Amino acid sequence: MVANALNRVTQHKLTEQRLQKIAALHAIDKAITGSLDLRVTLSVLLDQVIQQLGVDASNVFLHDPENQNLNYSDGVGFNFGSLTRNSFKLGEGLVGHVALNRTLIDINDLSKTDIEIARPVLVEQERFVSYYGVPLITRGKLKGVLEVFHRQPLNVNSEWVDFLKALSV
């Protein structure tokens, strides 16, 4: 009976977490459809990313198809206001690799990655350890990149990754 009760409590917690994620997606959807101001939409998105994924910081780079650049748009959770570089070419740095390959990149230890970080302030001053970057794609077109950072190794499951991916389409 005790094992059954513990199982029900665990299932209840998982259900509550899933409902919170659905509510977060709904809040983001409302921000997208209810506001013409991109800053408002990105603010809601980034707040929900931090809250639902339990990460320390997140930012968005938007794609400029004319110049093939990724330009910093908004971020939350950073101790140092400037990321020192606000624009990247496709393929340049972590954010550029995510955009160029149009695939999720996850790094558990930023100090040991083979990909050029291009923003050493993220490791040296911000002390980020974990990184996830996911392309923002709408109707098959690259719109930008969503990045998440954490100051400790992230122990994620497939549901966590699926939620991050759901935010990107």
Side-chain angles (χ1 to χ4, degrees):
M1 284 194 314
V2 172
N4 191 20
L6 288 174
N7 185 40
R8 277 189 271 144
V9 168
T10 302
Q11 292 302 318
H12 179 72
K13 286 181 182 178
L14 289 173
T15 301
E16 282 182 349
Q17 289 172 349
R18 289 179 183 134
L19 286 173
Q20 288 173 354
K21 286 181 175 39
I22 290 169
L25 290 172
H26 181 66
I28 293 166
D29 185 51
K30 281 177 50 179
I32 291 169
T33 58
S35 176
L36 296 176
D37 188 349
L38 182 60
R39 291 175 297 177
V40 171
T41 302
L42 291 178
S43 177
V44 170
L45 170 69
L46 292 170
D47 287 343
Q48 291 300 324
V49 166
I50 297 290
Q51 188 175 12
Q52 297 303 317
L53 296 178
V55 294
D56 291 321
S58 183
N59 65 31
V60 172
F61 279 81
L62 295 178
H63 180 235
D64 175 0
E66 188 174 310
N67 296 320
Q68 292 301 302
N69 282 346
L70 294 161
N71 300 314
Y72 178 82
S73 182
D74 199 2
V76 174
F78 296 91
N79 292 328
F80 299 90
S82 171
L83 294 177
T84 68
R85 296 229 12 226
N86 294 322
S87 182
F88 292 90
K89 294 284 185 192
L90 294 183
E92 181 184 17
L94 293 171
V95 69
H97 274 39
V98 171
L100 183 65
N101 298 319
R102 292 183 179 213
T103 187
L104 180 138
I105 292 180
D106 64 291
I107 300 172
N108 290 323
D109 189 344
L110 284 168
S111 68
K112 297 179 181 173
T113 182
D114 292 336
I115 302 172
E116 176 197 6
I117 294 177
R119 292 175 285 170
V121 67
L122 296 174
V123 176
E124 295 168 4
Q125 292 179 332
E126 291 283 355
R127 304 258 188 251
F128 291 127
V129 174
S130 299
Y131 170 89
Y132 277 78
V134 64
L136 301 172
I137 298 174
T138 303
R139 296 186 182 115
K141 293 185 179 182
L142 177 69
K143 297 298 181 182
V145 173
L146 171 66
E147 296 183 300
V148 297
F149 301 89
H150 200 60
R151 291 181 176 90
Q152 299 174 6
L154 280 170
N155 185 16
V156 303
N157 58 26
S158 61
E159 196 169 302
W160 189 97
V161 174
D162 288 345
F163 182 74
L164 178 62
K165 288 179 181 178
L167 295 172
S168 69
V169 290

